[in-house]
């Protein structure tokens, strides 16, 4: 027991000192005072400070951010409706934008109970047949359940039952659109649908969007050990999807997400992140990231998770090459599991800078 507490304390100490770990001189990364001549400086690579990281999105979507600013400033829903009308229903982008609008309304309501998110209520009252509104409201209820209640509690189940009805209404408003069914995947997980029930719902998703990465990530959670599956079932789901993925699909990265969902809470095996299973999943994700379109909305999600694994495996240069691509936006796994995603991300990022420089790297040598 004593060794467990020691390791936990060591991990907490590392988290606090992470931003200040610096360049190695002959024997390991050592700590020096911030601002010292020998200090690794993340800003020398063009990285943004912790308070400048955007926690709302995994990567840039200027149109979405501009519309969110307008909607939240004016409480007028029409800009959100127009953006969704112009967003194709077949791709990943619509799903991400629906999530973003729903999340914004949910957070507003949490910050200002009874008042926040008034624009969504007005949208429903003024345009009840708007497919975008129906989808955002259904996803809003899903996020409300997970954010405001404990899984399994009565109010949690009540909200999710309401969300399931809202998903059905959203599906009727936009036949062929996979988004309502993707939202319902989280409902099925929370309500504990049987495998047979979940398979029927999943069939509706893949009939409409067989290569949808966001949908596969939502389904993967159901099959994980902590919910309604097992490590083996989650791995089978992920590897099967990866094997069937066409060239350029990010589904080849799905096994890495399965590994992440089942990694130990406290890793005490020194080479865990260099084991064959983890290394194979990392290579698959790197292949997917290199093959994908640069404008693929899910690419940032894969890169963020890769950053986490590459740093833990002490593959500093590869981590740095990805960090210069994702810095500025931290609304993705694994950072969003923390109460302060920006802090969690910058601790890891600063460790990568220190590790990179300890092995001879510098801003001048980093290939972009």
């Amino acid at each position: 027991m004593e060794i467990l507490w020691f390791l936990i304390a060591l991990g907490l100490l590392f988290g606090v000192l992470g931003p200040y770990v610096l360049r190695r001189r002959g024997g390991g990364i050592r700590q020096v005072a911030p601002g010292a001549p020998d200090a690794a400086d993340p800003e020398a690579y063009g990285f943004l400070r912790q308070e400048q990281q955007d926690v709302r999105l995994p990567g840039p979507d200027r149109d979405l951010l501009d519309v969110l600013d307008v909607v939240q400033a004016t409480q007028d829903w029409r800009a959100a409706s127009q953006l969704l009308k112009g967003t194709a229903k077949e791709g990943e982008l619509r799903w991400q934008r629906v999530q973003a609008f729903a999340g914004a309304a949910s957070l507003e309501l949490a910050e200002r109970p009874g008042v926040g998110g008034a624009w969504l209520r007005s949208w429903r009252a003024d345009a009840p047949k708007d497919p975008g509104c129906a989808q955002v409201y259904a996803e809003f209820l899903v996020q409300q359940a997970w954010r405001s209640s404990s899984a399994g509690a009565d109010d949690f189940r009540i909200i999710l039952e309401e969300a399931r009805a809202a998903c059905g209404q959203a599906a009727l408003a936009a036949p062929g659109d996979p988004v309502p069914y993707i939202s319902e995947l989280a409902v099925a997980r929370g309500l504990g649908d049987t495998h047979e029930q979940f398979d029927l719902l999943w069939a509706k998703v893949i009939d409409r969007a067989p290569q949808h990465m966001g949908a596969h990530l939502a389904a993967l959670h159901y099959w994980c050990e902590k919910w309604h599956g097992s490590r083996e079932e989650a791995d089978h789901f992920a590897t099967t999807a990866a094997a069937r993925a066409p060239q350029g699909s990010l589904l080849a990265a799905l096994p890495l997400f399965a590994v992440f969902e089942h990694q130990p809470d406290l890793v005490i095996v020194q080479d865990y992140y260099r084991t064959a299973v983890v290394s194979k999943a990392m290579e698959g994700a790197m292949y997917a990231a290199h093959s994908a379109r640069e404008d693929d909305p899910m690419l940032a999600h894969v890169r963020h998770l890769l950053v986490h694994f590459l740093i833990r495996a002490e593959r500093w240069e590869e981590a740095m090459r990805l960090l210069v691509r994702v810095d500025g936006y931290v609304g993705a796994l694994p950072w969003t599991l923390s109460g302060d995603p920006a802090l969690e991300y910058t601790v890891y990022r600063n460790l990568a800078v220190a590790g990179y420089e300890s092995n001879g790297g510098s801003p001048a040598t980093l290939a972009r």
Side-chain angles (χ1 to χ4, degrees):
M1 193 59 162
E2 290 79 4
I3 185 64
L4 178 61
W5 284 112
F6 170 76
L7 290 169
I8 292 172
L10 188 62
L12 291 172
L13 180 63
F14 175 78
V16 172
L17 298 179
Y20 308 107
V21 292
L22 304 176
R23 203 184 270 121
R24 179 174 62 193
R25 283 189 175 176
I29 299 172
R30 65 184 184 85
Q31 180 191 0
V32 301
D38 204 30
D41 181 9
E43 292 187 35
Y45 296 85
F47 292 141
L48 300 180
R49 296 190 298 274
Q50 176 184 328
E51 62 272 18
Q52 295 174 297
Q53 303 293 330
D54 195 320
V55 301
R56 297 172 294 178
L57 297 174
D61 184 346
R62 193 69 261 165
D63 290 341
L64 172 62
L65 292 177
D66 288 344
V67 168
L68 269 176
D69 288 342
V70 169
V71 168
Q72 293 184 310
T74 66
Q75 293 296 296
D76 189 333
W77 53 267
R78 285 174 292 184
S81 179
Q82 284 299 118
L83 183 65
L84 289 180
K85 285 178 181 177
T87 306
K89 66 183 181 181
E90 296 82 6
E92 307 276 355
L93 190 59
R94 184 179 184 85
W95 168 233
Q96 290 203 19
R97 287 175 170 176
V98 166
Q99 284 185 297
F101 285 128
S106 181
L107 287 173
E108 282 184 42
L109 186 60
E111 292 168 358
R112 294 178 292 140
V115 179
W119 56 271
L120 180 55
R121 292 191 291 276
S122 298
W123 193 359
R124 293 188 68 224
D126 297 342
K129 296 184 179 179
D130 185 338
C133 176
Q135 292 175 6
V136 171
Y137 179 66
E139 177 62 20
F140 164 79
L141 290 174
V142 171
Q143 294 195 28
Q144 276 294 99
W146 290 99
R147 178 173 284 119
S148 61
S149 307
S150 299
D154 288 344
D155 56 343
F156 176 80
R157 297 188 65 84
I158 289 169
I159 297 173
L160 283 185
E161 291 287 4
E162 184 181 353
R164 172 162 275 166
C167 288
Q169 293 166 6
L172 290 174
D177 193 325
V179 166
Y181 299 103
I182 300 174
S183 290
E184 195 176 347
L185 293 172
V187 176
R189 174 163 57 97
L191 293 178
D193 282 11
T194 65
H195 290 185
E196 291 76 14
Q197 291 171 321
F198 191 84
D199 284 339
L200 289 173
L201 174 59
W202 180 239
K204 295 177 182 178
V205 175
I206 59 174
D207 280 349
R208 291 160 175 81
Q211 303 300 327
H212 201 290
M213 179 68 172
H216 279 79
L217 289 175
L220 177 63
H221 290 303
Y222 176 91
W223 292 112
C224 286
E225 190 174 57
K226 59 188 173 185
W227 287 105
H228 308 295
S230 64
R231 186 185 301 261
E232 292 74 23
E233 286 171 307
D235 182 65
H236 175 74
F237 176 80
T239 54
T240 299
R244 294 174 179 170
Q247 176 70 22
S249 170
L250 285 169
L251 287 176
L254 201 59
L256 186 64
F257 286 86
V259 168
F260 177 75
E261 290 295 332
H262 294 93
Q263 68 180 349
D265 291 332
L266 186 64
V267 177
I268 58 177
V269 179
Q270 184 176 4
D271 291 330
Y272 171 79
Y273 291 94
R274 299 189 183 94
T275 60
V277 171
V278 176
S279 296
K280 182 180 179 181
M282 288 172 65
E283 295 309 317
M286 292 182 73
Y287 168 79
H290 288 314
S291 304
R293 300 188 331 269
E294 190 63 30
D295 64 348
D296 190 315
M298 294 301 295
L299 180 55
H301 287 275
V302 175
R303 284 173 169 168
H304 277 289
L305 194 64
L306 269 170
V307 163
H308 166 82
F309 276 94
L310 288 169
I311 291 172
R312 296 300 296 267
E314 299 184 3
R315 294 165 62 171
W316 310 117
E317 183 174 356
E318 292 164 289
M320 290 292 289
R321 288 176 182 171
L322 290 181
L323 281 164
V324 298
R325 294 177 178 271
V326 302
D327 193 73
Y329 298 89
V330 296
L333 288 175
W335 328 122
T336 50
L337 295 179
S338 165
D340 190 340
L343 173 61
E344 183 80 1
Y345 165 78
T346 50
V347 165
Y348 270 80
R349 184 199 65 192
N350 295 356
L351 177 61
V353 172
Y356 179 63
E357 295 193 356
S358 74
N359 286 276
S362 71
T365 62
L366 182 61
R368 296 185 182 234

